[in-house]
Every structure is written in C-alpha cells, then in structure tokens.
Amino acid sequence: MSKLIIEGARRLKGEINIQGAKNSILPILAASLVTRAECVIHNCPIISDVKNTLKILEHLGCVVKFQENTVIVNSENITKNSIPNVLMREMRSSIIFLGALISSVGSAEISLPGGCELGPRPIDMHIEGLRQLGLRIDESHGILECGNEDGLEGCNISLSFPSVGATENLIIASVKARGTTVINNIAKEPEIMDLIAFLNSSGAKIESQGEGTLVIEGVKALHGTEYTIIPDRIAAVTYMSAAAVTVGDLLLKNVVKEHIGAVIPVFEEAGCTIESDTENSLRIIAPTRPYFNRIVRTMPYPGFPTDAQAPVMAMSCLADGTSVFVENIFTNRYKHVGELLRFGADIKVEGRVAIVEGVKRLFGAEVTAMDLRGAAALVVAGLGAEGTTKISGLSHIDRGYENLENNLESVGASIKRV
Ligand code: UD1
C-alpha cells in the first residue's frame, strides 16, 4: 500500500500551475456523449476520476484519446446504453451518465453511483426532474432502467435545493428535449457555467434568465467542439492552505479569482497577503503565524465551498484563535477531524459544527485519508507539522489532485510517495 511521507515545517516558496477543474471535466466528458461527434477538450486534469470516466465512455463505444492534458472523445458510434456496476461505483458523479445517455441514445441502464462517503447522498432531485421531463424510470435492486420511446418533453422544473449534480443532469438531459425547459433554483457553481458554455459551444441553446433560472430551448442535434476547462478552484484553495501553514509564498498560476471570492477574505483575515497583478494568477504570502477567529459556513456557490472546508480547517488548526465551521451541505464531512487530532490539533465536533482551537505546534503523525478533500487536509497538516507524517489512503488524493507531490516538492516541500 503506498503512502505519502512528508517531513513538515518547511517553507513553501515558488510557483504552481493550477490544474483543470475536476468538477467541470467530469460532467463535460459525460455531456460529450450527446454531441455524437468529436470533442477536443483542453486543460483536462490527469486524475483517476477522469480515467474512470474515460473507461465508461470507451465501454459505451466512444473512441477516446488522451494526449498530455487534452482529451479527444469521439461519440459517433455509441454501441451500448448500460454501464456496469463496477464502473458506476468508482465515483458519485457517474450518475451524470443517466442524463447524458438519455439525451444521446434515448435509454439507459445504470446502477446507483459510488464516490466519497459524505453522508447519505440521495439522487431524488435528479430522478424527480427527469421524470418531469417525461422519462420512465424503473428501479429494482439498485439498478435504474430508464427510457422514453417518444423522447423527452420540455417542462418547468423547480429544484428544492440547488444541487450541483441534479442541475447538471437536468441540463444535459434537456438540451435535446422537445420545446422549452425551464429549471429554477439551479446551482450556480462555476463548473455548471463551464458545462453550459461547453454545451452551447456544441450547438445547445441554454440561457440564464435572472437569478437561478435557466431556459433551455431543445435542439435537434449537437455538433463537435473544441473547449478549454476552467481551473480547479479547490486545488487552488488547497495550495493556499499549504502556503498558510508553512509561512509560504506561492504564486498560483491559472486561477480565476472570482471563483474563490468567498475564500480569499478568509485567508486575508488570517493575515495572508493576497496579490493578483496578472489576470490569471494569485500570489499568497503567509504571515509568520496565521490568525483565525471566525465562523466558516459552507454554502452553495457563491458561498464558502464545502470542498474547501477540510483543507482550510487544517490551516486553522495551526493558527492563533478559535474558529467555528458549520457544514451545511453534507451531513458527514468531518471524517478528517479524527485524523487531524493525531497531529495534536484541538477540534470538537457537534453535529454539523466543528470548533477548532488553534495550537502552537502540530506534530507529524500516521494518518489515513478517508475522502478526497479530507486527504488534502491531511497533506496540509503534514506540511505544517514538525517531524514525519505518513499518509495512507492515497487513492482518495489521486481521484482529484494532479501531480500533488511534484507540485509541492517543486516549491520546497519534502514529500514523497513510497
Ligand atoms: C458536487 C461536487 C462535490 C461538491 C458538491 C457540493 C462534483 C463531481 N461533485 O457533488 O465536489 O462537494 O457538489 O458543492 O461536481 N442532494 C439530495 N438529493 C439529490 C441531490 C443532492 O438530497 O437528488 C443533497 C446531497 O445529499 C447533499 C446536497 O444535496 O447533501 C448537495 O449535493 P449536490 O450539490 O448534488 O452535490 P454533488 O453533485 O453530489
């Protein structure tokens, strides 16, 4: 079993290029099915979630080429409408193939998805919206069998919560539905806007109408396109957290500052200087000791992202002050807390609330990553801790971070995989 070995408390200084966004590329790859043509997608991160998604596309009959960070998907000859359980269970986002297969070939047979365990992650909003579009969905023993011989019919859908996945699934499902579909209370994450831009560049007609409403005019067919994915805002926040615990000075290239608008003030209040001279880069200069004395509430975008909660919490453990985290999106997103305690952190959890009393020093520990962003938190803690940290459970890191060790090593960290 491989482990990351970190010798902590070394100052990080230098430049890191931020990868393409994991949460953009996954729905966009699924949506490429709907084009039934060749799509060339740039800035694709090389991570295991992408590799698994490409396996699903190949299984369905697509021809896939991966050259450095460009992926080419040709979906002209789709031969199947079903995805085996073993591929579906690799990640939660595979549910997006439901809308994509319906839109592409008119039917789908898939099992319920896997992914990070962040408490119960139902798909009721996906199912309800797809049924409103006229999709027949039969479920038995965890297998969803779906279809509609006459195609989907545009309608008016209101989501009870701005779910990222449900918004994406419904957008992809309705691009070729007859007539007009209106989706209210959509999630507004940058990755959703990226999916919309990709689909529109393939010939879809999707428009924002006021706050949180999308109007989709169904089109008969989409066409191939060439598209570049946005940068990964959570990878950027992870490296910012790493800088903050190491008295670091990092220049992060390929960052869209607006996408982390709710996070930047948190770092500034902690005493970090954030500079952004050029359009797509951000420099973070950390103080000798960060000060963290605030409440962080995770919220749908543009609020503080739930995916940034774990790495920022790791940073707050080594800061002066007391901070409170309120996790409003997922019910079970504090699995990293038990592991952070092993470094000597002082954290108490009560339901959705975690209270962190900053400590003067963290000490290297043997820990296990249990989910993707929790894994990032352990790396941040290891970089800030004195002595040796050993992290296992690396498959979680590999799901979402491209070149994490190399990037950190290139700016002065002592980190290696054994
Ligand atoms: C996506 C992101 C994930 C991020 C999350 C919230 C991807 C691949 N993953 O996950 O990194 O943490 O958004 O920003 O983009 N819910 C329901 N019923 C549904 C759908 C969702 O109750 O039908 C609940 C979920 O259980 C959760 C909340 O809504 O409590 C948010 O989920 P959602 O926004 O759908 O997140 P994901 O799309 O799973």
Side-chain angles (χ1 to χ4, degrees), residues 398-418:
D398 298 338
R399 284 192 46 217
Y401 289 92
E402 180 180 39
N403 282 336
L404 183 77
E405 300 100 271
N406 293 349
N407 284 341
L408 288 169
E409 208 173 16
S410 74
V411 294
S414 166
I415 178 168
K416 61 176 185 294
R417 192 178 285 236
V418 294

Side-chain angles (χ1 to χ4, degrees), residues 12-74:
L12 302 188
K13 187 169 182 353
E15 263 181 44
I16 293 177
N17 252 321
I18 300 299
Q19 66 187 63
K22 168 181 100 68
N23 288 354
S24 278
I25 187 66
L26 300 180
I28 286 177
L29 283 174
S32 72
L33 271 186
V34 188
T35 66
R36 304 303 301 264
E38 184 172 277
C39 296
V40 179
I41 305 163
H42 302 292
N43 202 27
C44 174
I46 303 173
I47 52 178
S48 65
D49 269 9
V50 164
K51 291 178 188 160
N52 284 321
T53 306
L54 296 181
K55 275 190 207 157
I56 293 179
L57 289 171
E58 281 178 330
H59 165 84
L60 294 172
C62 297
V63 178
V64 172
K65 286 187 213 138
F66 209 162
Q67 295 161 346
E68 298 201 359
N69 290 94
T70 293
V71 65
I72 304 171
V73 181
N74 189 319

Side-chain angles (χ1 to χ4, degrees), residues 22-24 26-27 92-93 118-127 161-166 168 187 189 191 233 305-307 328-331 333 373:
K22 168 181 100 68
N23 288 354
S24 278
L26 300 180
R92 154 124 182 137
S93 54
L118 306 175
R121 292 177 81 172
I123 53 164
D124 52 310
M125 282 184 252
H126 301 239
I127 300 291
F161 176 86
S163 151
V164 170
E168 292 167 345
E189 269 68 3
E191 295 78 16
R233 60 198 167 106
T306 173
D307 288 349
N328 290 309
I329 307 296
F330 290 108
T331 49
R333 210 165 193 183
R373 304 305 169 184

Side-chain angles (χ1 to χ4, degrees), residues 92-137:
R92 154 124 182 137
S93 54
S94 51
I95 188 64
I96 212 75
F97 277 98
L98 179 48
L101 275 169
I102 295 303
S103 208
S104 177
V105 294
S107 63
E109 199 184 307
I110 61 173
S111 55
L112 295 171
C116 284
E117 285 174 31
L118 306 175
R121 292 177 81 172
I123 53 164
D124 52 310
M125 282 184 252
H126 301 239
I127 300 291
E128 208 179 301
L130 289 167
R131 283 200 167 124
Q132 279 180 266
L133 284 163
L135 187 67
R136 171 184 51 75
I137 304 178

